[in-house]
Amino acid sequence: MSAESTRPLLLPQNRKLRHLRGISLRNLAFTRPRGRTIDDAALNKSPAKLESLRNSPQIHHTLSSEQLRPGPGRRRSTNLVGASPVTRQKRIEDTFDSKLADAFFSLHVEREEEPVYISEVAERATNFNFSLFELSELDSTITQTPRVTIKIWTNRHDTWSLLLEDDIDLRALNWLGTMQNVPFPPNSLVFHMVDGIYSLELSNKYPPPKKMPPTATSSYNALMRLATLDNSIQDALATRESLTRQINDLLAKETPNQVPAAQDSLALAEKYLAVQKRTVEASKTRNQELRASIEARRSAIAEGRALQERAETDVNNATEKLAHSKTLLARTKEQIHGQRRRICEDLDRIWRINSVSTPGTPPLTFTICGLPLPNTIYDDALLKGTGSDTLSAALGYVAQLTDNLQCYLGVPLPYPIRPYGSRSTIRDEISQLPDTQRDFPLYVPRGGSSAQYRFDYGWFLLNKDIETLCVSQGLKVVDIRHTLPNLKYLLYVCSAGTDEIPDRKRGGVRGLWAGRYRNLTVAGMTADDEASSFGGSRRGSDASSVVGGIGQRRGEDLRGKIIGGSTGNGGVAGFEEAEVKMTLRTKGMRESVAQ
């Protein structure tokens, strides 16, 4: 396609669909044009008819009162008088956007149900330059036709509609040559052919072809001498061919010499002999390699059979031990399940979760270690006074219990917990947050709505951890906001079973405690000092006195049990009894500190 040509290269009757390379749309408009009557679309668009339409006076539609143009001396009133610049800018943008749309076109040919080409979608414009295309690969019955139907589809306000449907005869197109500085009418179609740019409404009269000046050529005598020279050359070539044939006939009639032929035959036979010798040597080498390979494979087969026999022996031995291993595995699983039941019962006894059934109390209200904890939804009065400390302490117990359960159940928590009593925190390692903002408090903050949001989000993460533990045990959580009910349900299911709860294993942590107290006794450190250090680490004077006294009595009992029963099973049994008493006393200590 030559967009810079000054005249068309194709005759009108020779224009076919295969010559079409692209289509452009100029001056998109959604109003009805005024230059033709309402039935112009049904007229025959032959060249003669189009020429008659161009020469005839234009027929205009009757204008409504809203479309009448004002007189030159009258100023039209507007609603923008006194409006702010923002309002004017908004009105201008709305007016500009109302003229923009998304558009694409499709080409249709007679006797074809589907379109032969569909263009890409051009977005938000009034002048569209669609991509060029190539239709020569289609069937010849399609590419040879001079008529095509073009449908323009537009999208305004998220609704696609047919804007224009035009039946075009390519033979009736007018040469345009260029699209620069051309006043196109509304919804004007521009056709890009192989020889230039055409339009249906506009035309550009191209200039007549330039007359070439005559150029000087050879004279008649020179041409005759050139023809004579060519005839002489042809006669010389024919004579040479005749002499060549005569010489070849004479050589063929003479008796041929047999010596050169014999020498050639001998050289060829020697060559074949050398080739055969090399082939024999290669065959011998290949034979030796194959023998060595066979021997290596035989030895490998023997080693493989020996290895197979050893493997069969190992399989037989392992089969005999398989039943025992399965039994041992099942027994180990049962023991693990039993130990988890025992541990969950111990945790339930340590962090006692009880329901509250007093009148006026909301349903599913529980307490942990005697401290009430609402189900995420709480009143603002609870955050005032001592209610905030109670809520923080209860959440601290829940955080510590949840952190212990992940170890005993073998389920890692998605949100790690740092149990620090009533100042526990939880960390979000999943969300895309700065590293300094990943820790969320599990205690009532003091700092406005932002701190309150971080507290609520931390409580939500704690409930997600509890949900993870419940899902790992096959439990379905109805509402994750029920913190204590879900924990109670989890402990109840994990400690459920028909078999008896197994006893604690001998030694273990208790053995380490026994060795620690034995070393302390040998080193000269009394149990009173140990109890004093244990009791002195508590916060507050009242808590220190209570825990210190309990720690002193615990140290005396443990020291008496360990020293009195350091040999035999009696000492271990006494240590277990002392540990039970220690657990009960610790529970009483926690209740006294909470009060």
Side-chain angles (χ1 to χ4, degrees), residues 150-381:
I150 301 177
K151 295 183 180 180
I152 304 297
W153 302 84
T154 58
N155 179 16
R156 297 180 67 195
H157 310 296
D158 298 331
T159 302
W160 286 98
S161 61
L162 179 62
L163 175 66
L164 178 64
E165 180 176 358
D166 209 347
D167 188 10
I168 304 298
D169 190 348
L170 300 179
R171 297 170 295 184
L173 296 179
N174 299 317
W175 167 260
L176 193 60
T178 179
M179 292 191 297
Q180 297 180 358
N181 302 324
V182 178
F184 291 99
N187 296 331
S188 177
L189 293 176
V190 180
F191 299 87
H192 300 267
M193 306 294 286
V194 294
D195 59 340
I197 300 175
Y198 291 81
S199 176
L200 189 62
E201 294 87 356
L202 304 176
S203 64
N204 185 10
K205 296 300 181 178
Y206 47 87
K210 297 181 181 179
K211 295 183 178 181
M212 300 299 294
T215 56
T217 181
S218 300
S219 63
Y220 176 78
N221 294 331
L223 293 177
M224 293 302 296
R225 286 196 299 269
L226 183 61
T228 304
L229 180 59
D230 182 63
N231 293 332
S232 300
I233 293 174
Q234 295 298 329
D235 292 340
L237 292 176
T239 303
R240 188 184 66 179
E241 292 294 334
S242 176
L243 293 175
T244 302
R245 286 195 299 271
Q246 293 177 4
I247 292 172
N248 292 332
D249 294 339
L250 292 175
L251 293 176
K253 292 179 180 179
E254 294 181 357
T255 303
N257 191 2
Q258 301 295 333
V259 175
Q263 292 178 352
D264 294 339
S265 301
L266 178 61
L268 183 60
E270 291 178 351
K271 185 183 296 186
Y272 287 156
L273 179 60
V275 171
Q276 292 297 328
K277 288 182 178 180
R278 288 194 299 269
T279 304
V280 171
E281 294 294 334
S283 301
K284 291 181 179 179
T285 305
R286 179 61 179 169
N287 189 10
Q288 294 176 359
E289 292 176 354
L290 290 176
R291 290 179 182 274
S293 177
I294 291 173
E295 293 296 333
R297 293 181 181 181
R298 287 177 179 175
S299 60
I301 290 173
E303 293 178 359
R305 288 178 178 175
L307 182 61
Q308 185 178 2
E309 292 177 358
R310 289 196 299 270
E312 289 179 357
T313 304
D314 295 340
V315 168
N316 295 332
N317 296 334
T319 304
E320 296 176 357
K321 298 179 181 179
L322 180 60
H324 177 69
S325 299
K326 289 183 178 180
T327 305
L328 181 61
L329 177 61
R331 185 166 62 252
T332 304
K333 289 183 178 180
E334 293 178 359
Q335 292 175 358
I336 292 175
H337 180 66
Q339 293 296 333
R340 285 181 176 175
R341 286 178 54 203
R342 180 185 61 76
I343 291 172
C344 290
E345 286 195 358
D346 293 343
L347 294 177
D348 190 18
R349 285 195 298 268
I350 294 173
W351 286 278
R352 180 65 64 182
I353 301 176
N354 298 322
S355 61
V356 179
S357 58
T358 58
T361 304
L364 295 178
T365 302
F366 287 77
T367 61
I368 180 169
C369 297
L371 300 179
L373 180 64
N375 295 325
T376 302
I377 301 175
Y378 51 85
D379 299 332
D380 293 338

Side-chain angles (χ1 to χ4, degrees), residues 504 550 553-554 557-558 561 573-589:
R504 294 179 177 173
I550 294 174
R553 292 193 301 271
R554 172 190 173 193
D557 294 341
L558 290 178
K561 295 296 182 180
F575 184 78
E576 292 181 355
E577 182 180 358
E579 187 179 9
V580 173
K581 293 180 179 180
M582 177 194 67
T583 303
L584 297 177
R585 290 173 182 172
T586 304
K587 178 181 178 183
M589 174 198 68

Side-chain angles (χ1 to χ4, degrees), residues 140-156:
S140 60
T141 58
I142 298 176
T143 58
Q144 293 293 335
T145 179
R147 302 184 65 88
V148 61
T149 301
I150 301 177
K151 295 183 180 180
I152 304 297
W153 302 84
T154 58
N155 179 16
R156 297 180 67 195

